[in-house]
Amino acid sequence: MKKKTKLAISALLITGLLAGCGNSGGGNSSAEGNSSGTKSEKVTLTFWRNSGNDTENAAYDKLVASFNESHPDIKVEMSPIPYADYDTKLRTSIASGNPPDIMAIDAPNMASYAQAGALQPLTEYFKKDGNLEDIPESTIKTYTYKNEIYMAPLTESSIALFYNKKMFEAKGIPLPSKNPDEPITWDQVLEAAQKLNDPGKGVYGIDPAQGFGNAGGTAYFKYPIIWQFGGDIMSPDGTTSKGYLDKPETKKALQFFSDLYNKSKVSSLEYPPDPFPNNQLAMTIDGSWSLGNYADKFPNFKLGVDYDIAPLPKETQQAVANGSWALAVSAKSKNPEAAWQFVNYVTGAEGSKTYCSMTKDIPARYSVAKQFPELNEYPKNIFVVQNQKYGRPRPITPIFPQMSEAVNKMIEEVTISGRNVDAAVADAITKIDKAYADLPQK
């Protein structure tokens, strides 16, 4: 997930729209004749994706052009769509029975599209030539619904503990290990935060999860804390939160998180702009994308001098959320084999290397990550190893938006409003289970 990722509109709306799809239509594929007058099938595939930054757009332009040149029997026509319009336009095209052959979808929204029958299963394609063993098992699980793989991953991102090195040294606090397999515990984080916290001088101990924003941000930054305490959000099949969200370990994590703000007061509900690089925040949980941001915008706040990075804290176990935008093939495509060729070309080892060499993203594949020296050295190795060894899917469920909203509200009620954990959890479970019960069945 990149920081720009937002929560898609309700899965019920998605599923409702998709349930109205007829069986006519089927991908925007076509055949062309050649100049000699003989019939030569040339497949044209439409590919929709959310428009990214200039570097991402250039990387996709290069991959599409390279694929078209090396596959004279296939022509891919790519349509970058503005981010704000992408979800609505994609849902509408699917509901009208005229979707693109290939589409980019954010990982948490995969199950809603798969449940509605909008995606082509890719399991057999992957087994044939997708080099599955080159992708972490936890990553593949992120794109699997009801035992079928529906999307092919290209990149990953991750989060870690950023800490102010000079503040730690001034207080004589031992620096956290840089070893991705040796995180400090949340109890150690709290102990350090209490020593570093000085609200009178405008300095807070830690922002544990990038504050309070939309539910999508909650899922990426706050679910790992629940997992790290041994808790959970939903059942593995994504049908209920009963027995998972109400686990004692989940409630312990919620109480610990709330206490950071309300009991020990080492966290604040509001921070000034850019508190970490401005030395107003001793620790923060932040993403791999912030390394470039700090280097560009705060050149005097230097890695290794002013701040350093450590793996995400743990309590009973290590855990980090995985999953990003990935490529899917429409169930209505008239040419799924050709569509898979393109998807496999882009997300395979060579395509991934091309893309990540330009964007500096973390590749989803082991073999590609090994080819970039900087990804195997501090600090980026922390993000890579965490993702590969301790990554976990956010709940794979067709009601992800409703589930995420309910959990987001639960955390806000417990932390901001001081609501009893048991009551807040019970309400969240009721909302989540009702949303699944109301899900239109295929």
Side-chain angles (χ1 to χ4, degrees):
M1 165 186 168
K2 294 188 177 179
K3 203 167 187 178
K4 65 184 180 182
T5 301
K6 67 173 184 176
L7 186 65
I9 296 175
S10 163
L12 282 179
L13 177 57
I14 294 174
T15 308
L17 280 170
L18 302 185
C21 297
N23 292 322
S24 59
N28 296 318
S29 303
S30 64
E32 299 175 359
N34 62 22
S35 58
S36 66
T38 60
K39 279 278 187 174
S40 176
E41 294 291 328
K42 181 165 183 175
V43 174
T44 299
L45 301 172
T46 51
F47 168 38
W48 287 11
R49 65 176 182 84
N50 55 308
S51 182
N53 58 40
D54 291 343
T55 304
E56 291 166 344
N57 292 338
Y60 264 118
D61 286 342
K62 183 173 182 178
L63 285 169
V64 170
S66 177
F67 178 84
N68 286 339
E69 183 178 354
S70 60
H71 294 73
D73 57 334
I74 304 172
K75 180 182 179 182
V76 173
E77 296 180 343
M78 179 174 63
S79 297
I81 298 170
Y83 189 80
D85 303 328
Y86 184 76
D87 287 329
T88 299
K89 187 168 183 178
L90 180 60
R91 282 197 314 276
T92 302
S93 73
I94 294 172
S96 67
N98 193 34
D101 293 284
I102 304 150
M103 62 196 81
I105 297 175
D106 197 11
N109 299 321
M110 176 270 298
S112 60
Y113 287 96
Q115 170 72 14
L119 306 182
Q120 171 78 32
L122 302 179
T123 309
E124 293 306 314
Y125 293 116
F126 261 109
K127 289 180 178 178
K128 180 181 177 182
D129 60 359
N131 201 6
L132 271 174
E133 66 275 9
D134 195 30
I135 305 172
E137 184 179 351
S138 62
T139 299
I140 288 297
K141 286 182 178 178
T142 296
Y143 304 105
T144 301
Y145 181 62
K146 293 184 177 179
N147 299 315
E148 291 281 4
I149 304 170
Y150 282 100
M151 298 207 297
L154 176 59
T155 64
E156 280 286 6
S157 60
S158 191
I159 56 178
L161 175 67
F162 288 57
Y163 63 94
N164 190 302
K165 184 178 180 180
K166 287 185 175 179
M167 287 186 186
F168 270 67
E169 292 174 336
K171 293 288 186 178
I173 301 171
L175 301 181
S177 172
K178 296 177 181 178
N179 187 331
D181 298 311
E182 296 178 355
I184 61 176
T185 66
W186 275 107
D187 287 336
Q188 290 172 312
V189 168
L190 175 58
E191 183 180 354
Q194 289 172 321
K195 293 178 180 179
L196 297 164
N197 198 54
D198 193 350
K201 294 183 179 180
V203 177
Y204 285 90
I206 184 169
D207 180 353
Q210 289 295 303
F212 296 86
N214 62 41
T218 291
Y220 196 67
F221 281 93
K222 297 183 177 68
Y223 292 5
I225 298 176
I226 292 174
W227 298 331
Q228 288 153 9
F229 275 76
D232 223 321
I233 313 296
M234 289 192 79
S235 59
D237 62 4
T239 63
T240 182
S241 282
K242 184 69 175 176
Y244 299 88
L245 199 60
D246 52 357
K247 288 176 64 174
E249 295 86 352
T250 304
K251 293 180 179 180
K252 182 178 179 181
L254 292 172
Q255 191 62 62
F256 179 88
F257 185 83
S258 175
D259 286 347
L260 292 175
Y261 294 84
N262 301 303
K263 184 178 178 181
S264 57
K265 300 185 185 299
V266 296
S267 302
S268 176
L269 296 176
E270 294 184 5
Y271 297 100
D274 302 307
F276 184 65
N278 285 320
N279 298 300
Q280 295 171 297
L281 188 59
M283 291 177 282
T284 185
I285 304 297
D286 209 341
S288 51
W289 53 83
S290 287
L291 291 170
N293 180 58
Y294 292 151
D296 291 342
K297 296 183 179 179
F298 302 92
N300 294 324
F301 187 67
K302 297 185 181 299
L303 179 70
V305 177
D306 301 288
Y307 77 100
D308 265 318
I309 298 171
L312 275 185
K314 72 172 185 178
E315 193 57 25
T316 63
Q317 61 188 9
Q318 285 185 257
V320 60
N322 64 13
S324 188
W325 287 83
L327 301 188
V329 175
S330 169
K332 284 184 170 290
S333 176
K334 295 178 180 178
N335 295 280
E337 294 276 354
W340 166 252
Q341 285 188 55
F342 175 74
V343 168
N344 200 27
Y345 182 89
V346 171
T347 64
E350 289 305 313
S352 177
K353 182 180 178 181
T354 297
Y355 185 89
C356 293
S357 66
M358 296 177 67
T359 65
K360 308 305 178 184
D361 285 320
I362 296 172
R365 291 184 175 272
Y366 289 119
S367 64
V368 182
K370 289 178 181 177
Q371 296 181 56
F372 292 93
E374 67 270 21
L375 297 182
N376 297 282
E377 301 169 354
Y378 174 83
K380 290 189 176 181
N381 68 313
I382 291 177
F383 300 103
V384 174
V385 173
Q386 280 189 151
N387 184 271
Q388 292 178 348
K389 295 179 67 173
Y390 308 109
R392 288 184 55 166
R394 287 158 283 179
I396 300 168
T397 176
I399 58 160
F400 185 88
Q402 300 98 308
M403 177 279 301
S404 198
E405 287 287 356
V407 174
N408 190 46
K409 183 172 179 61
M410 173 193 72
I411 294 173
E412 289 185 351
E413 287 179 343
V414 169
T415 305
I416 299 175
S417 304
R419 191 179 185 196
N420 174 270
V421 170
D422 291 338
V425 167
D427 274 2
I429 290 173
T430 298
K431 293 175 184 176
I432 293 167
D433 287 358
K434 183 180 185 302
Y436 194 86
D438 292 343
L439 185 69
Q441 300 300 310
K442 288 176 61 179

